[in-house]
Structures are given as structure tokens and as C-alpha cells.
Amino acid sequence: MTSDPTTRTMSVPGGGFGGGSGGRKVTTFDLVSMKSRGEKIVAITAYDALFASLVDAAAVDLILVGDSLASVLCGEETTLAATVEQMTYHGRIVVRGTSRAFVVVDMPFLSYQVSVEEAVRNAGNILKQTGAGAVKLEGGFDILDAVRAIVRAGIPVMGHLGFTPQSVHALGGHRIQGKDEEAVSRLVEEAVALEEAGVFSIVLELMPTVAARRVTEAISVPTVGIGAGPECDGQVLVLHDMLGLNEGFSPRFLKRYAELGAAVRDAVGRYAGEVREGRYPAAEHGYEG
């Protein structure tokens, strides 16, 4: 039996991570322990098996399957359009491409706000159908009951404070949170309450460095910042943003580590030119006999 030359296989190299886990799977215990040792957590988004395998091989500690996929992949204006079905599908294929990073899947809008029972059911189904390690919920005091119930069901939960994209309209747009003492105190109180409810980590988004530092110092679980300054216990970026694929998005906090948007246009343009000129495929690209 001859192999099909169009069949593709994916190689997923193993790697170490800051916590010294070698090739084994990163756990919530590892992430919490990294904070106590002063080691920074490296997190990034991924939405498919191929990119998941690449960032996993680069030894990131945590992969977030964010509901940002609604904007990044689907062209929606906000994350609100993401569905449980979408998050489950993308979570499953990310896990398929991952061998060692800890995978967290966002719970989308209205999948945990309607009732505690529905929150637990949706969280359980996401974990069961994806094989991910945890789910992430946005909010503070308003979601404590859901967090407690999900954790009691044996499902790890990551929190999310500051700018919470699912509340973009209620917050009046993409606004920095925690700009005065009252707002910072509330963020600290919400973070402490989330830790007491059982979260293993909290994302801090769009807040002044001093606010993120206050939150980070107030809790024993790690904080992962995005637009929250350098004093969080780790950092997360959207992969397509930091690779320069999402060229229309350039907030102050974003650092681009590549310009792949331009590279893609150049590569496809050269391909199109060679096809139109009859230079591709050449003799070496054909099969004889």
C-alpha cells in the first residue's frame, strides 16, 4: 500500500517550561507554584491545532482559547457573538495540537450569566468535550456563585478582571479600568473574593500598572496581564496580534514580534504571479509514471 502524498501529519515537539516540568503537562499547581517562586507565566491565545502545536513547542505555559476568536477569526466587532459550540470546537482542536501547555477555554457571553445550573452544565460540557484543563469567566462579585458552583463540580476556573470584553457596551467601550482609588479598591476586593471562590488564576486586562500591582500583591494565585503593566505574575497576548497578522489592531500595550501580515501578502502575491505566468508548477513539482 502506497502512501497518499497529500496526507499530512503533525509533529508536536515537547519542551520544558519555566516551572521545570520538562515534557510533562503543565497543571494549575505548577502555575500557582510559579508565582510563589517568582517565575513569570507565559500565556498566549491559539484557536487551532497547527498554531497550538507551534506555540506549545515554543514552551509557553498556558494557551488560552479566547472568545476573541469571534473578532480575530470571524470578523465580528466584539466577542459577544462567540457561542458555546464555537468555543468547544476550537478548544478541542487546540488540545489536539498541544502536548504540554495548560489549555484554558473561555466561556462565552450568556453561557454562565443566566443561572448557576446552566453555568455548571456549560462549563462541564466544554471541559468534557475539549479535554482542556480549565474554563475562564469574566467578572467579579456578580459571578461568584457561578465560580463556586463550577469549582465544586471539579472544574478549574480562571477569573478575568479589569476591562472585560463581554461587558464592552456596559463599560462604554474599550476603556482602562481602575484609574482611581475607589476603582482600584474594588478590583482588589473582587480579586480576593474570586480567590476565595476557588479560581486558580486571574487575567487582568487594561488597567494601570499600580492597580495591577495592588491586585497581584493582594492574592496568592497568579495574575496574568494584558495591557496591565509588567508587575503581573505573567503576560498574555493574542497570537494573531503579536505576529502582525491582525494589522488593524495596534493598542499601546501590544508589541509585535513579527510582521506576518506583510509576509503572507508577499508570498501569496508571488504564488499568484507564478501561476499566471505559467512558472508554477514547474517540472520538479509534478509526478511521473
Side-chain angles (χ1 to χ4, degrees), residues 162-183:
F163 173 70
T164 47
Q166 292 176 15
S167 302
V168 61
H169 298 310
L171 295 173
H174 293 73
R175 296 179 180 274
I176 296 173
Q177 305 297 305
K179 296 176 72 173
D180 57 57
E181 179 58 33
E182 182 181 356

Side-chain angles (χ1 to χ4, degrees), residues 122-217:
N122 285 327
N125 283 332
I126 287 173
L127 229 65
K128 183 167 62 175
Q129 294 176 36
T130 64
V135 295
K136 180 168 76 64
L137 282 65
E138 296 181 7
F141 294 134
D142 53 327
I143 65 164
L144 292 178
D145 288 342
V147 171
R148 292 189 192 99
I150 293 171
V151 171
R152 278 199 303 269
I155 302 166
V157 174
M158 188 178 205
H160 187 146
L161 291 173
F163 173 70
T164 47
Q166 292 176 15
S167 302
V168 61
H169 298 310
L171 295 173
H174 293 73
R175 296 179 180 274
I176 296 173
Q177 305 297 305
K179 296 176 72 173
D180 57 57
E181 179 58 33
E182 182 181 356
V184 174
S185 295
R186 180 180 174 88
L187 285 170
V188 170
E189 291 169 3
E190 289 188 310
V192 170
L194 283 171
E195 179 178 9
E196 291 173 349
V199 302
F200 70 88
S201 179
I202 303 175
V203 169
L204 303 181
E205 183 168 358
L206 280 188
M207 64 179 66
T209 297
V210 64
R213 181 176 67 245
R214 290 264 300 274
V215 172
T216 300
E217 291 174 346

Side-chain angles (χ1 to χ4, degrees), residues 18-20 88 93 97 117 122 131 133 139 159 170 187 200 207-208 220 270 273 275 277:
T88 301
I93 61 177
E117 293 76 17
N122 285 327
L187 285 170
F200 70 88
M207 64 179 66
S220 61
R270 288 188 290 112
V275 169
E277 295 165 8

